[in-house]
Amino acid sequence: MNEKFFDLKKEKQDRIINASLKVFALNGFQRASTDEMVKEAEISKGLIFHYFTSKIGLYGFLYDYSTRFMTLEVSTNVPKNETDMIVILEKIIEAQADAMTQYPYMQAFLRRAYTENDTGALEQIYDTRMRYYSMYSDIMQQADMSMIRDDLDPNLIGAMFEYTCDGYLKELAAKGEIVPQTYLKEIKKYLVLIKKMAYK
């Protein structure tokens, strides 16, 4: 990436980032159209290739930018001494919603990247992806799993919650209705249910 991208006015940077996040989130790497991105961002196509050289260069930049941004939000929002799994998950969701106020499709993009199957795109983000997942894993290590019922697998509870978040976010993205507070309010309802079902 050309570092001069950050010399652009912040408003223009964010227009390019938000438009690109949205198109990649809705379509995946292969089907994402740079024509659609520049139309959404209201810029010339040459501008994207001037700063990012290629579609895969743009994808790699967005993934790196998004994981850095989200890591800062999450690590700042989750207290280091918090051990309640539900509270940790709630704090993570709050951080994600905060990020979405500036970048509505960022979380949808990151979730779409989790299921990306294009070899080139996966190679481009591999190291960053591993670091990002490791960050979440480290945070979840704080959780005191003794609070969970003995007959339940905490990993399955976590997977169920992830599927719930992923499905709801996909639904909002497909409708073009990603509203952070709506997302946060709905997901918190599921956290209440999980706590009722899973805690001793």
Side-chain angles (χ1 to χ4, degrees):
M1 184 203 74
N2 188 332
E3 290 297 327
K4 288 188 176 180
F5 174 74
F6 291 109
D7 291 337
L8 291 172
K9 289 182 179 179
K10 186 68 166 62
E11 183 272 335
K12 195 166 192 177
Q13 288 179 40
D14 283 352
R15 269 196 289 128
I16 294 170
I17 290 170
N18 275 321
S20 303
L21 287 172
K22 180 178 180 179
V23 175
F24 278 126
L26 294 177
N27 299 286
F29 178 77
Q30 290 183 346
R31 291 178 54 238
S33 164
T34 51
D35 288 337
E36 194 174 340
M37 294 174 199
V38 298
K39 183 179 179 182
E40 180 91 17
E42 299 179 342
I43 58 169
S44 70
K45 191 169 185 176
L47 198 61
I48 278 194
F49 291 108
H50 171 69
Y51 290 114
F52 303 102
T53 309
S54 63
K55 186 169 86 166
I56 202 165
L58 173 60
Y59 186 81
F61 162 76
L62 288 172
Y63 193 82
D64 183 70
Y65 186 87
S66 297
T67 54
R68 288 175 186 271
F69 193 93
M70 201 65 76
T71 295
L72 181 61
E73 290 287 329
V74 171
S75 59
T76 301
N77 205 52
V78 180
K80 302 289 186 202
N81 61 349
E82 183 57 66
T83 59
D84 188 315
M85 183 184 75
I86 297 298
V87 175
I88 291 171
L89 291 174
E90 183 176 52
K91 293 297 181 184
I92 288 172
I93 294 300
E94 287 173 355
Q96 292 172 352
D98 284 345
M100 285 190 281
T101 59
Q102 187 171 348
Y103 300 109
Y105 284 83
M106 182 173 277
Q107 187 61 21
F109 166 76
L110 289 169
R111 288 189 176 278
R112 183 67 182 246
Y114 182 75
T115 58
E116 181 58 62
N117 56 18
D118 181 86
T119 304
L122 290 175
E123 288 176 355
Q124 183 79 4
I125 66 173
Y126 180 80
D127 291 338
T128 308
R129 194 182 188 193
M130 292 302 102
R131 286 193 298 272
Y132 186 57
Y133 297 158
S134 178
M135 179 272 294
Y136 278 109
S137 178
D138 290 345
I139 287 176
M140 292 312 298
Q141 290 297 317
Q142 296 176 202
D144 177 7
M145 295 306 177
S146 67
M147 301 169 75
I148 306 295
R149 283 171 35 193
D150 296 334
D151 60 329
L152 295 178
D153 181 349
N155 291 322
L156 289 178
I157 295 168
M160 180 178 69
F161 180 68
E162 282 300 306
Y163 289 136
T164 300
C165 293
D166 189 50
Y168 185 56
L169 193 54
K170 279 181 181 175
E171 182 183 323
L172 293 178
K175 292 178 180 177
E177 298 174 354
I178 294 186
V179 179
Q181 289 308 311
T182 301
Y183 173 75
L184 182 62
K185 184 178 179 181
E186 189 68 18
I187 296 302
K188 281 189 174 184
K189 292 178 185 177
Y190 289 102
L191 281 174
V192 171
L193 285 175
I194 289 173
K195 185 168 186 175
K196 287 179 179 178
M197 291 187 301
Y199 274 34
K200 293 176 181 176

